[in-house]
Amino acid sequence: MNSVIAPYGGSLVDLMVPAEQQAQLLASVTTSIECSDRNACDVELLVVGGFSPERGFMHQENYNSVVATHRTSSGYLFGLPLVFDTSRDDLQLGDRVLLTYKGQNLAVLTVQDQWLPDKTIEAKGCYGTTSLEHPAVRMIAMERKHRYLGGSLQGLELPKRVFPCKTPAQVRQSLPSGEDVVAFQCRNPIHRAHYELFTRALHASNVSAAAVVLVHPTCGPTQEDDIPGTVRFQTYEKLAAEVDNPRIRWAYLPYAMHMAGPREALQHMIIRRNYGCTHFIIGRDMAGCKSCISGEDFYSPYEAQDFATACAPELSMQTVPSLNLVYTQEEGYVTAEHAEARGLHVQKLSGTQFRQMLRSGEEIPEWFAFRSVVEVLRTP
């Protein structure tokens, strides 16, 4: 493995069972459960080590600790609990459960703990609210089943996805030895402001001269009104080919968003360290969400950034604050502070306006969006 930052906990977890041992493992199975899309993402990240040092779904003690303190019972930082939910009430401790997903056998879960969670406490601890207007509160209350299972996991196969998700080991092999790796998280198509943001991060004062950026979009379930994953995947592939920048690495992350603000920022940093990243770009209102009634944010603008920055030293990582970039007629993309100080003319285009222009066939200005991305978004 290249000389890159060590995984969290010191070693990269690999729960995949060798092919020659899988038949024997399958013969020990006592029942099966079909995974939800979110379950499948968690299973995959556990098996490949994205959640290192965790080796399975959390027991109740561990779950309670993460909910209350954003730490596991053994003291490791962890943003959100890893739980496997089920409506089954007939399972016993020691049962070996085959976890299936869309016709695949993903893994075997050995049930070592099960309980009925207090989801009100979980919501308040993880998301800071019990309001069903928060998408993750709504998810745990209305989508997740009533019983949680904890136990060790043995991997059989990774989910087949439209997004081909490289494992942490594979990503690490592609990274330069001894250089910083800056992670950029997104869940939407990348526009020019994003590109300017993550390429300029390579020149931050706390980033090494020959650093690279890992553009690492999430490909699991996200907010209901986000652009579908199959479309987003095409925009990323087109853009990667168009820019052909040797200082950019591209990979996809099988992660289901919670929109949990500060807790989610921590979770993303831990995962990216396991993928070999030393730095994490974090912007204003990262992984935030708004009330659909009042329009008020659930988190303050810099709550996630401040929390991630406070946790970063313990993770042996650094944060790179996201620049507040604007496009000006005179100088192109500059910081908002620079534009204001010089009285430059700022061009603005909201997300709502952009979507309207897409639907109506209007010309999208190239300063806002890459032409290749627009073409994909307009394809029926």
Side-chain angles (χ1 to χ4, degrees):
M1 188 173 292
N2 285 354
S3 177
V4 297
I5 188 171
Y8 193 38
S11 60
L12 191 64
V13 169
D14 179 1
L15 303 179
M16 189 62 72
V17 174
E20 64 273 14
Q21 298 175 20
Q22 292 191 4
Q24 182 179 359
L25 176 61
L26 285 168
S28 71
V29 164
T30 53
T31 188
S32 66
I33 296 177
E34 176 74 3
C35 291
S36 66
D37 291 339
R38 287 181 176 271
N39 293 152
C41 287
D42 287 343
V43 168
E44 182 169 358
L45 282 173
L46 278 165
V47 167
V48 300
F51 285 134
S52 296
E54 295 301 303
R55 304 186 64 86
F57 287 102
M58 292 179 173
H59 296 200
Q60 186 175 9
E61 179 188 10
N62 223 1
Y63 160 85
N64 287 339
S65 181
V66 172
V67 167
T69 69
H70 63 266
R71 289 183 183 276
T72 65
S73 56
S74 56
Y76 284 105
L77 288 167
F78 219 80
L80 297 164
L82 294 173
V83 300
F84 190 90
D85 61 298
T86 181
S87 57
R88 296 270 297 270
D89 293 322
D90 60 331
L91 299 173
Q92 303 296 319
L93 298 187
D95 279 350
R96 289 180 178 269
V97 181
L98 176 63
L99 304 181
T100 61
Y101 182 64
K102 296 182 178 180
Q104 292 182 262
N105 294 333
L106 295 190
V108 173
L109 169 66
T110 300
V111 180
Q112 296 166 329
D113 200 2
Q114 58 176 315
W115 69 99
L116 301 177
D118 186 326
K119 293 186 178 182
T120 302
I121 292 175
E122 180 182 345
K124 187 65 175 176
C126 293
Y127 312 120
T129 180
T130 58
S131 171
L132 290 175
E133 294 177 75
H134 191 294
V137 175
R138 193 161 59 249
M139 179 271 294
I140 65 172
M142 302 174 71
E143 294 178 28
R144 274 189 181 165
K145 309 300 190 296
H146 69 279
R147 184 177 295 275
Y148 288 175
L149 305 179
S152 60
L153 207 59
Q154 293 167 283
L156 298 168
E157 186 179 6
L158 299 182
K160 294 181 173 67
R161 301 183 181 278
V162 172
F163 291 75
C165 297
K166 295 177 183 175
T167 67
Q170 290 169 333
V171 171
R172 285 170 164 271
Q173 289 172 358
S174 73
L175 300 177
S177 295
E179 295 293 344
D180 290 337
V181 180
V182 182
F184 178 71
Q185 148 69 24
C186 62
R187 67 177 204 279
N188 289 304
I190 291 169
H191 298 313
R192 287 196 177 270
H194 302 127
Y195 183 80
E196 291 289 331
L197 188 153
F198 64 68
T199 52
R200 292 185 188 208
L202 292 171
H203 305 289
S205 60
N206 61 338
V207 174
S208 64
V212 298
V213 61
L214 174 66
V215 180
H216 207 198
T218 54
C219 69
T222 180
Q223 287 200 114
E224 295 171 357
D225 58 348
D226 282 346
I227 290 171
T230 52
V231 178
R232 285 188 288 122
F233 168 66
Q234 294 178 60
T235 68
Y236 302 139
E237 292 290 289
K238 287 275 190 180
L239 184 56
E242 178 180 344
V243 299
D244 193 26
N245 187 332
R247 296 190 67 186
I248 302 175
R249 304 290 189 271
W250 299 79
Y252 304 110
L253 181 69
Y255 178 85
M257 292 291 294
H258 290 247
M259 311 309 298
R263 287 292 193 105
E264 186 120 58
L266 172 58
Q267 197 85 327
H268 279 293
M269 276 208 305
I270 293 168
I271 292 169
R272 277 17 183 267
R273 172 170 165 178
N274 289 327
Y275 276 83
C277 299
T278 58
H279 292 63
F280 187 66
I281 300 172
I282 181 162
R284 187 180 185 277
D285 195 32
M286 179 191 169
C289 53
K290 298 177 182 290
S291 161
C292 57
I293 296 175
S294 67
E296 295 293 318
D297 292 316
F298 280 104
Y299 311 107
S300 61
Y302 297 101
E303 191 173 347
Q305 190 174 99
D306 292 344
F307 184 66
T309 300
C311 293
E314 190 172 339
L315 293 172
S316 301
M317 295 181 72
Q318 297 183 52
T319 57
V320 180
S322 169
L323 295 174
N324 183 14
L325 297 177
V326 295
Y327 184 81
T328 63
Q329 295 177 4
E330 297 87 351
E331 299 183 23
Y333 277 102
V334 297
T335 64
E337 296 79 10
H338 177 87
E340 184 178 0
R342 300 206 174 186
L344 304 179
H345 294 85
V346 175
Q347 302 279 87
K348 292 184 178 180
L349 184 62
S350 71
T352 300
Q353 289 174 307
F354 172 63
R355 288 188 289 273
Q356 290 173 343
M357 293 171 75
L358 271 179
R359 287 193 295 268
S360 65
E362 291 181 66
E363 187 71 20
I364 307 291
E366 291 198 33
W367 63 262
F368 182 84
F370 290 90
R371 188 173 297 278
S372 60
V373 171
V374 171
E375 288 174 355
V376 171
L377 295 177
R378 279 189 167 147
T379 301

